Amino acid sequence: MNYQQAMDYLKELTKFGINLGLDRIEELLRRLDRPQHLLKIIHIGGTNGKGSTSAMVAGILGAAGYRTGLFTSPHLHSYTERFVLGGEPIEEETLARLISEIKPHLDDMVSEGWEHPTEFEVSTALALLYFARERTDFVVLEVGMGGAIDSTNVVMPMVSVITNVTLDHMDYLGQRVEEIAQVKAGIIKPGIPVVTAAQGSPLEVIRRAAETSNSRLVQVGRDVSWFPSDHSGNFRTQQFEVMGLFNRYPVELPLLGPFQQINAATAVAAVELLFSRLDQPIPFDAVIRGLLRVHWPGRFEVMGGEPTLVIDGAHNHAGAMALKQALQTFFPHRKIIFVLGMLADKERAKVVAELVPLARAVVVTRSNSPRAGDWTQLADYVRKELDQVTLVEDVGSAIKTALAMASPGEVVCVTGSLYMIAEAGAWLKLKGKRMTK
């Protein structure tokens, strides 16, 4: 099949929904000769920040000269973004060829009585097969959902990472944060060191799991720390220091927001643990260069133009809290117009309560996802906080409306579902918007 046919096939697999468990992925990988056994993996989970942290770890390893694979989800613009090798997404032809190779195995599984693997399980298998075929030195593997029975949890990593734990995906992971922490702690393997930036009761759950597994636990904020900086009006990079396990690193990071400083400290700790396990010197210069070059779109990106435009994928309550902190840090006392679109299965009321008090006006729009539900209900939550609410279904038109409403000196912040952020990014690219220098 060609690339478009392959994408149509993967899209068709979404009908199997979210079906957690490891039996199907383990069987599929067995039929592919278990490519995961050929890989040195850094396994990264958590509620928020796992994508940024994964990109940072991959960036550091790449700067150190290692052939590094990176598997993340979801993608913003192209499915190929999920499978990155050496900083470059997989070629469309290669991805189509791998899907064509895997499809007969999927058909055989179903004919033999197995449930059909889900789209994410197939995506995970594709990543492991691709990176094994390419003889990568390391693979940074982002957890899809949860941990214990997420399809990525078929690997034996060199290091495990749990960025943080907050309420999200409660229909699948549990109603209490401690229950969710227990699921996420499922990626901790016996004797394998783990890094976490979790706090409070989730940290205690992770600590107990690490003790049970006889795994060294490195706690960000205690064993590894960072020193916040004054951004001084710089919307291109932020500078700060990370005090790692072995070195002190002066960091310049092109990802904005205080939360990215925590993610950077987490990434540094993961790399330090990795090289400690390999009994190799820590690549000090690679840490500096890798973090300087890291790129992770859709996370507090400040775009050019007047009024100032910000896009951020704050798709849950914890993300909204981080976005609120970043907006107050970078744009104190400036009026904000939000373009807001969220999925129906997210904590809409909590996100609105966090962000809308900062707003002069809100434009509610629709995320391009079957999970969007009745997107107009989001406006009902907003009206409890603010009268100035406009509904515009098309994302591009919603941004255009917000920009027209804004006065010079104000900020337009586009946020919510990553699906909506992807549409926003495509529209902004078409209009020639770019990062502020």
Side-chain angles (χ1 to χ4, degrees):
M1 63 181 80
N2 60 32
Y3 178 71
Q4 187 55 55
Q5 290 170 330
M7 291 301 98
D8 291 342
Y9 176 69
L10 284 180
K11 185 177 181 179
E12 178 68 15
L13 296 185
T14 60
K15 68 183 180 184
F16 298 109
I18 297 171
N19 190 5
L20 297 175
L22 299 180
D23 289 346
R24 293 176 302 276
I25 183 67
E26 288 177 339
E27 175 61 18
L28 177 56
L29 290 172
R30 183 191 68 79
R31 294 167 186 251
L32 298 173
D33 296 327
R34 299 184 174 90
Q36 72 273 25
H37 292 173
L38 302 175
L39 302 169
K40 293 184 176 68
I41 291 172
I42 301 90
H43 199 190
I44 301 182
T47 303
N48 292 90
K50 59 183 183 288
S52 298
T53 303
S54 296
M56 292 179 197
V57 171
I60 293 171
L61 294 175
Y66 293 98
R67 188 169 170 80
T68 304
L70 173 63
F71 174 63
T72 59
S73 62
H75 59 277
L76 283 183
H77 305 298
S78 170
Y79 208 91
T80 60
E81 297 167 14
R82 298 183 179 215
F83 317 90
V84 173
L85 179 58
E88 296 294 330
I90 189 173
E91 293 183 356
E92 293 182 353
E93 296 78 7
T94 302
L95 182 54
R97 186 169 64 250
L98 289 172
I99 293 172
S100 298
E101 181 179 341
I102 286 180
K103 185 179 182 301
H105 294 291
L106 302 175
D107 295 338
D108 288 345
M109 286 178 64
V110 172
S111 69
E112 294 170 19
W114 289 87
E115 287 183 304
H116 199 295
T118 66
E119 177 265 337
F120 187 71
E121 289 168 340
V122 172
S123 180
T124 301
L126 286 168
L128 296 172
L129 182 61
Y130 173 56
F131 294 136
R133 293 267 179 88
E134 292 293 329
R135 301 179 183 273
T136 54
D137 296 312
F138 298 106
V139 171
V140 182
L141 195 69
E142 181 193 9
V143 172
M145 180 188 296
I149 50 178
D150 179 79
S151 66
T152 64
N153 203 30
V154 292
V155 303
M156 180 60 69
M158 300 287 291
V159 178
S160 300
V161 178
I162 302 172
T163 56
N164 63 4
V165 180
T166 62
L167 293 173
D168 199 16
H169 298 299
M170 291 154 56
D171 290 345
Y172 298 97
L173 306 182
Q175 297 299 308
R176 298 170 55 244
V177 70
E178 294 82 5
E179 295 174 328
I180 295 173
Q182 191 65 55
V183 175
K184 292 186 183 295
I187 69 170
I188 299 174
K189 302 298 194 302
I192 304 301
V194 57
V195 181
T196 187
Q199 298 180 358
S201 57
L203 173 60
E204 294 309 310
V205 172
I206 293 168
R207 191 192 310 280
R208 289 195 297 270
E211 290 175 352
T212 300
S213 297
N214 194 29
S215 300
R216 178 184 178 183
L217 177 65
V218 172
Q219 182 182 335
V220 177
R222 183 194 66 181
D223 306 312
V224 174
S225 58
W226 69 99
F227 300 90
S229 65
D230 178 4
H231 67 87
S232 300
N234 176 12
F235 297 121
R236 186 174 179 84
T237 63
Q238 56 178 328
Q239 298 180 3
F240 54 97
E241 286 189 315
V242 172
M243 181 66 78
L245 297 170
F246 305 106
N247 287 305
R248 186 169 183 156
Y249 305 89
V251 173
E252 184 174 4
L253 186 70
L255 302 180
L256 302 179
F259 55 93
Q260 295 292 10
Q261 298 180 19
I262 303 173
N263 293 336
T266 305
V268 167
V271 172
E272 287 188 319
L273 280 177
L274 173 65
F275 280 88
S276 178
R277 288 204 67 194
L278 296 171
D279 197 24
Q280 295 181 14
I282 307 302
F284 182 90
D285 290 342
V287 172
I288 307 303
R289 289 184 285 108
L291 292 176
L292 179 59
R293 298 173 184 171
V294 71
H295 177 64
W296 196 239
R299 278 71 174 180
F300 203 76
E301 285 190 277
V302 181
M303 314 298 286
E306 181 63 52
T308 301
L309 186 65
V310 176
I311 61 173
D312 183 88
H315 61 284
N316 57 25
H317 183 221
M321 292 173 65
L323 173 58
K324 178 181 178 180
Q325 182 186 24
L327 288 169
Q328 291 176 325
T329 298
F330 285 88
F331 305 107
H333 314 302
R334 291 177 67 174
K335 295 180 180 179
I336 299 171
I337 298 175
F338 284 102
V339 177
L340 186 61
M342 294 187 64
L343 302 180
D345 57 2
K346 297 294 183 178
E347 295 181 293
R348 290 176 168 182
K350 287 186 177 181
V351 169
V352 165
E354 201 71 47
L355 295 179
V356 172
L358 303 179
R360 179 176 72 78
V362 175
V363 179
V364 171
T365 190
R366 183 185 185 279
S367 298
N368 184 21
S369 168
R371 293 159 57 197
D374 183 358
W375 65 278
T376 64
Q377 286 184 347
L378 183 58
D380 296 333
Y381 293 114
V382 176
R383 290 190 183 99
K384 295 178 182 179
E385 306 279 347
L386 185 71
D387 292 333
Q388 188 66 28
V389 183
T390 304
L391 281 76
V392 181
E393 182 170 3
D394 175 71
V395 172
S397 298
I399 298 172
K400 187 176 180 180
T401 298
L403 290 171
M405 293 168 60
S407 302
E410 293 187 333
V411 176
V412 172
C413 180
V414 184
T415 189
S417 161
L418 288 173
Y419 296 97
M420 192 267 282
I421 294 300
E423 283 190 84
W427 185 85
L428 292 168
K429 183 177 180 180
L430 182 66
K431 297 298 179 181
K433 297 285 185 180
R434 60 185 63 185
M435 288 290 294
T436 299
K437 300 299 182 184

